[in-house]
Amino acid sequence: GAVVSQHPSWVICKSGTSVKIECRSLDFQATTMFWYRQFPKQSLMLMATSNEGSKATYEQGVEKDKFLINHASLTLSTLTVTSAHPEDSSFYICSARVTPRTEPFYGYTFGSGTRLTVV
Amino acid sequence: AQSVAQPEDQVNVAEGNPLTVKCTYSVSGNPYLFWYVQYPNRGLQFLLKYITGDNLVKGSYGFEAEFNKSQTSFHLKKPSALVSDSALYFCAVRAQPNTPLVFGKGTRLSVIA
């Protein structure tokens, strides 16, 4: 089945540093990747949509200069949290749209998430 | 605009009893509806989806959901709950292809032995 591998699973970084989160589609081509953020005990909030080879589309209120998204290939999308601060601490999840030709078709597959803690 | 409502923050059920996790949706056009489960510090695992066809959808781990167009609902059900079913459940909807899923706020299911 379609699998998205997300790394790292968790990361602790100092305030002011940058952190890169990777999502790789292992056995299919992910032309579209969605990035979500989840606060404790809350739902997933869409941050941005990235399409391979083009600029990401950010949701209202999401700082594009802070959350840099790169989707340079059909199998890799990255989210870089720049100059991280404690308020950026959260759980970040990527999701790729699975095309009908990929079995089993269930629409979307999710990475396992990255727990970011900024100290 | 699309939206999903999960009216219950928490559902408690005894092991062996049937469980229901409620979901209602609002979307223009035909909805694509999904249920996902999330365990602590993990990503989302797909349970089932409704695209078209039979209103009763059967999914993973014995879960099923019934699409009710008139009530705009897609409640998740299981005839006999297990302690291992305890997790956070999300209902999601999408109306158009290539658009992201819109999630409900989630319902925490607690199955008590």
Side-chain angles (χ1 to χ4, degrees), chain A residues 30-35 48-52 54-57 69-71 77-78:
Chain A
T31 55
T32 302
M33 193 77 79
F34 306 105
W35 286 92
T49 301
S50 71
N51 292 296
E52 184 267 336
S54 62
K55 290 185 178 181
T57 302
I69 292 173
N70 184 283
H71 196 158
S77 178
T78 62

PDB file of all heavy atoms in Angstrom, chain A residues 30-35 48-52 54-57 69-71 77-78:
ATOM      1  N   ALA A  30       3.954  11.164  -4.971  1.00  0.00           N
ATOM      2  CA  ALA A  30       3.078  12.109  -4.287  1.00  0.00           C
ATOM      3  C   ALA A  30       3.160  13.463  -4.974  1.00  0.00           C
ATOM      4  O   ALA A  30       4.027  14.276  -4.672  1.00  0.00           O
ATOM      5  CB  ALA A  30       3.465  12.222  -2.821  1.00  0.00           C
ATOM      6  N   THR A  31       2.258  13.700  -5.903  1.00  0.00           N
ATOM      7  CA  THR A  31       2.272  14.991  -6.582  1.00  0.00           C
ATOM      8  C   THR A  31       1.791  16.110  -5.675  1.00  0.00           C
ATOM      9  O   THR A  31       2.153  17.264  -5.863  1.00  0.00           O
ATOM     10  CB  THR A  31       1.392  14.943  -7.836  1.00  0.00           C
ATOM     11  OG1 THR A  31       0.084  14.506  -7.456  1.00  0.00           O
ATOM     12  CG2 THR A  31       1.951  13.971  -8.858  1.00  0.00           C
ATOM     13  N   THR A  32       0.977  15.750  -4.706  1.00  0.00           N
ATOM     14  CA  THR A  32       0.448  16.748  -3.768  1.00  0.00           C
ATOM     15  C   THR A  32       0.681  16.273  -2.344  1.00  0.00           C
ATOM     16  O   THR A  32       0.382  15.132  -2.010  1.00  0.00           O
ATOM     17  CB  THR A  32      -1.060  16.960  -3.986  1.00  0.00           C
ATOM     18  OG1 THR A  32      -1.293  17.369  -5.331  1.00  0.00           O
ATOM     19  CG2 THR A  32      -1.589  18.030  -3.040  1.00  0.00           C
ATOM     20  N   MET A  33       1.204  17.177  -1.525  1.00  0.00           N
ATOM     21  CA  MET A  33       1.435  16.881  -0.113  1.00  0.00           C
ATOM     22  C   MET A  33       0.769  17.972   0.725  1.00  0.00           C
ATOM     23  O   MET A  33       0.867  19.157   0.400  1.00  0.00           O
ATOM     24  CB  MET A  33       2.927  16.831   0.197  1.00  0.00           C
ATOM     25  CG  MET A  33       3.269  16.231   1.547  1.00  0.00           C
ATOM     26  SD  MET A  33       3.170  14.431   1.575  1.00  0.00           S
ATOM     27  CE  MET A  33       4.722  13.990   0.796  1.00  0.00           C
ATOM     28  N   PHE A  34       0.103  17.544   1.764  1.00  0.00           N
ATOM     29  CA  PHE A  34      -0.525  18.480   2.683  1.00  0.00           C
ATOM     30  C   PHE A  34       0.221  18.450   4.009  1.00  0.00           C
ATOM     31  O   PHE A  34       0.594  17.385   4.490  1.00  0.00           O
ATOM     32  CB  PHE A  34      -1.991  18.106   2.919  1.00  0.00           C
ATOM     33  CG  PHE A  34      -2.798  17.973   1.651  1.00  0.00           C
ATOM     34  CD1 PHE A  34      -3.149  16.735   1.165  1.00  0.00           C
ATOM     35  CD2 PHE A  34      -3.214  19.108   0.969  1.00  0.00           C
ATOM     36  CE1 PHE A  34      -3.890  16.607   0.002  1.00  0.00           C
ATOM     37  CE2 PHE A  34      -3.962  18.993  -0.195  1.00  0.00           C
ATOM     38  CZ  PHE A  34      -4.304  17.749  -0.685  1.00  0.00           C
ATOM     39  N   TRP A  35       0.411  19.598   4.602  1.00  0.00           N
ATOM     40  CA  TRP A  35       1.057  19.679   5.914  1.00  0.00           C
ATOM     41  C   TRP A  35       0.052  20.190   6.938  1.00  0.00           C
ATOM     42  O   TRP A  35      -0.598  21.222   6.738  1.00  0.00           O
ATOM     43  CB  TRP A  35       2.268  20.606   5.851  1.00  0.00           C
ATOM     44  CG  TRP A  35       3.423  19.981   5.131  1.00  0.00           C
ATOM     45  CD1 TRP A  35       3.720  20.078   3.798  1.00  0.00           C
ATOM     46  CD2 TRP A  35       4.426  19.141   5.701  1.00  0.00           C
ATOM     47  NE1 TRP A  35       4.848  19.347   3.515  1.00  0.00           N
ATOM     48  CE2 TRP A  35       5.309  18.759   4.658  1.00  0.00           C
ATOM     49  CE3 TRP A  35       4.683  18.660   6.997  1.00  0.00           C
ATOM     50  CZ2 TRP A  35       6.412  17.936   4.860  1.00  0.00           C
ATOM     51  CZ3 TRP A  35       5.779  17.846   7.210  1.00  0.00           C
ATOM     52  CH2 TRP A  35       6.634  17.488   6.144  1.00  0.00           C
ATOM     53  N   ALA A  48      -0.546  24.076   4.875  1.00  0.00           N
ATOM     54  CA  ALA A  48      -0.212  24.394   3.492  1.00  0.00           C
ATOM     55  C   ALA A  48      -0.379  23.177   2.616  1.00  0.00           C
ATOM     56  O   ALA A  48      -0.403  22.033   3.093  1.00  0.00           O
ATOM     57  CB  ALA A  48       1.225  24.907   3.409  1.00  0.00           C
ATOM     58  N   THR A  49      -0.489  23.458   1.334  1.00  0.00           N
ATOM     59  CA  THR A  49      -0.563  22.429   0.311  1.00  0.00           C
ATOM     60  C   THR A  49       0.604  22.634  -0.640  1.00  0.00           C
ATOM     61  O   THR A  49       0.827  23.750  -1.120  1.00  0.00           O
ATOM     62  CB  THR A  49      -1.871  22.533  -0.483  1.00  0.00           C
ATOM     63  OG1 THR A  49      -2.972  22.394   0.427  1.00  0.00           O
ATOM     64  CG2 THR A  49      -1.946  21.464  -1.558  1.00  0.00           C
ATOM     65  N   SER A  50       1.356  21.570  -0.878  1.00  0.00           N
ATOM     66  CA  SER A  50       2.482  21.699  -1.798  1.00  0.00           C
ATOM     67  C   SER A  50       2.300  20.765  -2.985  1.00  0.00           C
ATOM     68  O   SER A  50       1.853  19.637  -2.832  1.00  0.00           O
ATOM     69  CB  SER A  50       3.804  21.394  -1.090  1.00  0.00           C
ATOM     70  OG  SER A  50       3.926  20.013  -0.792  1.00  0.00           O
ATOM     71  N   ASN A  51       2.634  21.270  -4.127  1.00  0.00           N
ATOM     72  CA  ASN A  51       2.617  20.485  -5.349  1.00  0.00           C
ATOM     73  C   ASN A  51       4.035  20.403  -5.899  1.00  0.00           C
ATOM     74  O   ASN A  51       4.780  21.394  -5.864  1.00  0.00           O
ATOM     75  CB  ASN A  51       1.685  21.112  -6.387  1.00  0.00           C
ATOM     76  CG  ASN A  51       0.238  21.031  -5.976  1.00  0.00           C
ATOM     77  OD1 ASN A  51      -0.331  19.955  -5.853  1.00  0.00           O
ATOM     78  ND2 ASN A  51      -0.367  22.180  -5.720  1.00  0.00           N
ATOM     79  N   GLU A  52       4.383  19.257  -6.390  1.00  0.00           N
ATOM     80  CA  GLU A  52       5.730  19.033  -6.883  1.00  0.00           C
ATOM     81  C   GLU A  52       6.097  20.068  -7.930  1.00  0.00           C
ATOM     82  O   GLU A  52       5.346  20.294  -8.888  1.00  0.00           O
ATOM     83  CB  GLU A  52       5.845  17.614  -7.443  1.00  0.00           C
ATOM     84  CG  GLU A  52       7.230  17.234  -7.888  1.00  0.00           C
ATOM     85  CD  GLU A  52       7.461  17.508  -9.367  1.00  0.00           C
ATOM     86  OE1 GLU A  52       6.467  17.553 -10.108  1.00  0.00           O
ATOM     87  OE2 GLU A  52       8.617  17.677  -9.759  1.00  0.00           O
ATOM     88  N   SER A  54       6.275  23.317  -7.694  1.00  0.00           N
ATOM     89  CA  SER A  54       5.706  24.658  -7.625  1.00  0.00           C
ATOM     90  C   SER A  54       5.677  25.143  -6.179  1.00  0.00           C
ATOM     91  O   SER A  54       5.936  24.375  -5.255  1.00  0.00           O
ATOM     92  CB  SER A  54       4.297  24.685  -8.222  1.00  0.00           C
ATOM     93  OG  SER A  54       3.437  23.835  -7.487  1.00  0.00           O
ATOM     94  N   LYS A  55       5.369  26.404  -6.015  1.00  0.00           N
ATOM     95  CA  LYS A  55       5.345  26.981  -4.672  1.00  0.00           C
ATOM     96  C   LYS A  55       4.153  26.458  -3.879  1.00  0.00           C
ATOM     97  O   LYS A  55       3.088  26.195  -4.434  1.00  0.00           O
ATOM     98  CB  LYS A  55       5.270  28.505  -4.766  1.00  0.00           C
ATOM     99  CG  LYS A  55       6.542  29.165  -5.275  1.00  0.00           C
ATOM    100  CD  LYS A  55       6.423  30.683  -5.228  1.00  0.00           C
ATOM    101  CE  LYS A  55       7.708  31.341  -5.678  1.00  0.00           C
ATOM    102  NZ  LYS A  55       7.614  32.828  -5.627  1.00  0.00           N
ATOM    103  N   ALA A  56       4.372  26.349  -2.586  1.00  0.00           N
ATOM    104  CA  ALA A  56       3.296  25.874  -1.724  1.00  0.00           C
ATOM    105  C   ALA A  56       2.221  26.942  -1.551  1.00  0.00           C
ATOM    106  O   ALA A  56       2.494  28.141  -1.634  1.00  0.00           O
ATOM    107  CB  ALA A  56       3.861  25.478  -0.365  1.00  0.00           C
ATOM    108  N   THR A  57       1.032  26.486  -1.313  1.00  0.00           N
ATOM    109  CA  THR A  57      -0.092  27.382  -1.013  1.00  0.00           C
ATOM    110  C   THR A  57      -0.363  27.314   0.479  1.00  0.00           C
ATOM    111  O   THR A  57      -0.685  26.246   1.005  1.00  0.00           O
ATOM    112  CB  THR A  57      -1.348  26.950  -1.789  1.00  0.00           C
ATOM    113  OG1 THR A  57      -1.066  26.958  -3.184  1.00  0.00           O
ATOM    114  CG2 THR A  57      -2.491  27.907  -1.495  1.00  0.00           C
ATOM    115  N   ILE A  69       8.243  25.303   2.910  1.00  0.00           N
ATOM    116  CA  ILE A  69       7.894  24.007   2.352  1.00  0.00           C
ATOM    117  C   ILE A  69       8.534  23.869   0.983  1.00  0.00           C
ATOM    118  O   ILE A  69       8.424  24.754   0.140  1.00  0.00           O
ATOM    119  CB  ILE A  69       6.371  23.842   2.262  1.00  0.00           C
ATOM    120  CG1 ILE A  69       5.789  23.745   3.674  1.00  0.00           C
ATOM    121  CG2 ILE A  69       5.999  22.614   1.431  1.00  0.00           C
ATOM    122  CD1 ILE A  69       4.288  23.749   3.717  1.00  0.00           C
ATOM    123  N   ASN A  70       9.190  22.728   0.803  1.00  0.00           N
ATOM    124  CA  ASN A  70       9.830  22.423  -0.460  1.00  0.00           C
ATOM    125  C   ASN A  70       9.337  21.071  -0.953  1.00  0.00           C
ATOM    126  O   ASN A  70       9.288  20.110  -0.205  1.00  0.00           O
ATOM    127  CB  ASN A  70      11.354  22.404  -0.287  1.00  0.00           C
ATOM    128  CG  ASN A  70      12.068  22.187  -1.597  1.00  0.00           C
ATOM    129  OD1 ASN A  70      12.135  21.079  -2.114  1.00  0.00           O
ATOM    130  ND2 ASN A  70      12.591  23.262  -2.151  1.00  0.00           N
ATOM    131  N   HIS A  71       8.956  21.018  -2.212  1.00  0.00           N
ATOM    132  CA  HIS A  71       8.447  19.762  -2.788  1.00  0.00           C
ATOM    133  C   HIS A  71       9.149  19.579  -4.126  1.00  0.00           C
ATOM    134  O   HIS A  71       8.540  19.664  -5.191  1.00  0.00           O
ATOM    135  CB  HIS A  71       6.934  19.877  -2.954  1.00  0.00           C
ATOM    136  CG  HIS A  71       6.250  18.565  -3.176  1.00  0.00           C
ATOM    137  ND1 HIS A  71       4.907  18.393  -2.916  1.00  0.00           N
ATOM    138  CD2 HIS A  71       6.695  17.378  -3.615  1.00  0.00           C
ATOM    139  CE1 HIS A  71       4.561  17.157  -3.213  1.00  0.00           C
ATOM    140  NE2 HIS A  71       5.632  16.518  -3.640  1.00  0.00           N
ATOM    141  N   SER A  77       8.880  15.737   0.211  1.00  0.00           N
ATOM    142  CA  SER A  77       8.442  17.084   0.590  1.00  0.00           C
ATOM    143  C   SER A  77       9.013  17.374   1.967  1.00  0.00           C
ATOM    144  O   SER A  77       9.065  16.489   2.825  1.00  0.00           O
ATOM    145  CB  SER A  77       6.919  17.178   0.626  1.00  0.00           C
ATOM    146  OG  SER A  77       6.498  18.466   1.028  1.00  0.00           O
ATOM    147  N   THR A  78       9.477  18.611   2.160  1.00  0.00           N
ATOM    148  CA  THR A  78      10.062  18.984   3.449  1.00  0.00           C
ATOM    149  C   THR A  78       9.404  20.230   3.998  1.00  0.00           C
ATOM    150  O   THR A  78       8.964  21.115   3.246  1.00  0.00           O
ATOM    151  CB  THR A  78      11.576  19.233   3.328  1.00  0.00           C
ATOM    152  OG1 THR A  78      11.807  20.326   2.432  1.00  0.00           O
ATOM    153  CG2 THR A  78      12.300  18.008   2.829  1.00  0.00           C
TER     154      THR A  78
END
